[in-house]
């Protein structure tokens, strides 16, 4: 599969913004005749880095695959913690299994310091039977840290799929303690498997994609099963796996979900958007890929977008949004 060849031009109508907020991660699923999107947002007054300390996740609804999404309500956000800290939720991704929708996400606690919140990131899961009804957090520490492991410092960026055997396979971002704090060491991806969506998950314990030339290897994976094998698209920080620009996305494949190799066409997509008619716009970031899959076939790629900035920092970011990119059937 040449994933890059699946991408069709997008349009301005497929952008999603939320007035007064930075919008980032978005995940899309269907319930009955309606289409739902769960996305991360935080007030612009906190700056772009505020995703670490102020993110919440919200629900939006559309009446068709390419229809306009409209805000429904906040699902989870800055709830007070037992010690005066507050709760942050980010990185949503949804699978549907056993008559329920399962929302995997990163959540953390902290008192407002960026590194405290970042290093308290853990993967949790919530579920519902009706998206516009009650969502219940089942486990806020579904994927916790493992002392001495590849994820000894933090876990985040979850993605999951149902295996042909009915199990749940998860890939997630892991950071270890091999470097000085607060930043920590290697940024990798790990894998885990469970018999049920709410676990318990058994970790593979080894990195599944690793750049031997740089400690910051990959993040932001999306996982799915198609045509007899597992697929993932994942951010290639240094362009090591694709041979392309930094922060583009690579396509990996696996027969068992634990042993991965780059696809024969390793470049999934570059940091640009094609609006058709030769209108191709370079971007600062085109992150957090999620696929909307129908009858086992990817129909849409959803990404978080940051347009070019005056410098290479996040200090002057004024706007971000989610976008849907149609895919060839």
């Amino acid at each position: 599969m040449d994933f890059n060849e699946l991408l069709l031009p997008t349009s301005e109508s497929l952008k999603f913004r939320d007035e007064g907020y930075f919008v980032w991660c978005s995940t899309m699923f269907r319930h009955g005749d309606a289409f739902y999107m769960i996305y991360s947002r935080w007030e612009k007054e906190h700056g772009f880095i505020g995703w670490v300390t102020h993110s919440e996740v919200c629900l939006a609804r559309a009446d068709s695959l390419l229809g306009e999404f409209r805000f429904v309500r906040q699902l989870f956000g800055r709830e007070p913690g037992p010690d005066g800290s507050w709760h942050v939720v980010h990185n949503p991704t949804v699978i549907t299994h056993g008559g329920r929708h399962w929302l995997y996400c990163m959540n953390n606690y902290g008192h407002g310091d960026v590194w405290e919140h970042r290093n308290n990131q853990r993967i949790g899961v919530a579920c519902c039977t009706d998206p516009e009804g009650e969502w219940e957090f089942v486990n806020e520490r579904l994927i916790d840290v493992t002392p001495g492991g590849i994820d000894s410092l933090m876990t985040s960026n979850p993605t999951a799929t149902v295996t042909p055997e009915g199990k749940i396979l998860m890939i997630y971002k892991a950071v270890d303690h091999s470097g000085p704090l607060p930043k920590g060491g290697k940024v990798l991806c790990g894998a885990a498997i469970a018999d049920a969506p709410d676990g318990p998950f058994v970790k593979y314990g080894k990195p599944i994609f690793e750049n031997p030339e740089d400690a910051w290897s990959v993040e932001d994976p999306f996982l799915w099963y198609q045509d007899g094998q597992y697929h993932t698209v994942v951010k290639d920080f240094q362009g090591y796996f694709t041979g392309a620009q930094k922060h583009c996305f690579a396509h990996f494949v696996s027969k068992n979900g634990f042993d991965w190799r780059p696809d024969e066409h390793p470049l999934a997509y570059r940091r640009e958007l094609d609006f058709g008619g030769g209108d191709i716009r370079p971007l600062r970031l085109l992150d957090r890929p999620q696929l909307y899959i129908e009858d086992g076939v990817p129909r849409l790629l959803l990404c978080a977008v940051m347009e070019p900035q005056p410098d290479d920092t996040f200090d002057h970011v004024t706007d971000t949004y989610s976008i849907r990119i149609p895919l060839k059937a």
Side-chain angles (χ1 to χ4, degrees):
M1 176 195 301
D2 187 342
F3 188 88
N4 190 253
E5 287 297 313
L6 298 180
L7 304 180
L8 295 171
T10 188
S11 71
E12 295 287 341
S13 67
L14 297 180
K15 293 179 178 181
F16 176 78
R17 288 183 168 92
D18 195 338
E19 185 67 29
Y21 292 87
F22 289 112
V23 170
W24 205 240
C25 330
S26 60
T27 180
M28 185 174 163
F29 61 101
R30 187 170 185 169
H31 182 85
D33 293 330
F35 296 84
Y36 289 92
M37 180 173 67
I38 295 177
Y39 64 98
S40 299
R41 74 174 190 180
W42 61 100
E43 296 94 339
K44 289 185 174 181
E45 64 190 72
H46 301 298
F48 182 75
I49 201 65
W51 72 265
V52 188
T53 55
H54 288 79
S55 179
E56 60 190 21
V57 295
C58 298
L59 183 71
R61 172 178 172 153
D63 294 328
S64 63
L65 185 68
L66 300 179
E68 180 184 2
F69 273 105
R70 297 184 181 275
F71 174 83
V72 175
R73 65 184 175 93
Q74 182 211 60
L75 295 182
F76 301 106
R78 294 184 298 280
E79 303 297 330
D83 60 350
S85 65
W86 63 87
H87 187 207
V88 175
V89 185
H90 197 65
N91 295 153
T93 188
V94 172
I95 65 169
T96 301
H97 184 65
R100 292 185 174 188
H101 304 292
W102 298 88
L103 168 62
Y104 297 101
C105 56
M106 174 275 285
N107 60 110
N108 70 56
Y109 283 98
H111 298 79
D113 176 75
V114 168
W115 287 108
E116 179 192 14
H117 280 269
R118 185 263 199 177
N119 291 339
N120 280 329
Q121 290 177 15
R122 304 292 186 269
I123 293 167
V125 63
C127 71
C128 75
T129 54
D130 177 0
E132 297 192 42
E134 181 180 359
W135 288 80
E136 176 188 5
F137 243 116
V138 180
N139 188 342
E140 293 184 358
R141 294 294 184 268
L142 184 71
I143 305 291
D144 209 335
V145 297
T146 298
I150 65 168
D151 54 7
S152 60
L153 183 59
M154 53 143 284
T155 65
S156 65
N157 288 184
T159 178
T161 193
V162 181
T163 74
E165 300 78 26
K167 296 178 182 289
I168 308 300
L169 177 67
M170 179 182 290
I171 292 177
Y172 62 97
K173 175 181 174 178
V175 180
D176 69 16
H177 274 94
S178 62
L181 293 176
K183 189 175 182 179
K186 292 182 179 179
V187 178
L188 303 164
C189 276
I193 197 161
D195 291 330
D198 56 350
F201 278 84
V202 177
K203 295 179 181 179
Y204 181 52
K206 302 175 184 178
I208 56 174
F209 324 113
E210 187 170 13
N211 177 355
E213 298 178 356
D214 199 287
W216 283 61
S217 296
V218 292
E219 70 173 11
D220 287 358
F222 181 83
L223 171 69
W224 77 104
Y225 186 84
Q226 184 180 2
D227 298 331
Q229 61 183 348
Y230 296 96
H231 299 258
T232 187
V233 290
V234 62
K235 182 194 280 188
D236 183 3
F237 272 115
Q238 315 302 332
Y240 174 81
F241 299 104
T242 62
Q245 66 190 141
K246 291 185 176 183
H247 294 190
C248 60
F249 275 73
H251 178 201
F252 284 78
V253 293
S254 172
K255 289 295 185 183
N256 61 13
F258 299 103
D259 301 304
W260 292 84
R261 61 173 176 81
D263 184 72
E264 61 178 325
H265 303 284
L267 178 63
Y269 64 84
R270 296 179 182 273
R271 290 184 284 118
E272 61 188 25
L273 283 176
D274 181 357
F275 285 88
D279 182 5
I280 298 177
R281 306 177 197 174
L283 302 171
R284 171 72 167 81
L285 293 175
L286 187 61
D287 275 11
R288 293 294 304 155
Q290 298 274 310
L291 296 180
Y292 172 73
I293 298 173
E294 199 166 76
D295 298 324
V297 178
R299 298 284 305 280
L300 294 173
L301 170 65
L302 291 87
C303 288
V305 178
M306 180 187 293
E307 295 186 350
Q309 302 301 313
D311 54 36
D312 199 39
T313 72
F314 297 123
D315 297 339
H316 305 292
V317 181
T318 59
D319 186 41
T320 63
Y321 54 89
S322 173
I323 197 161
R324 284 169 282 171
I325 302 168
L327 302 174
K328 296 176 185 175

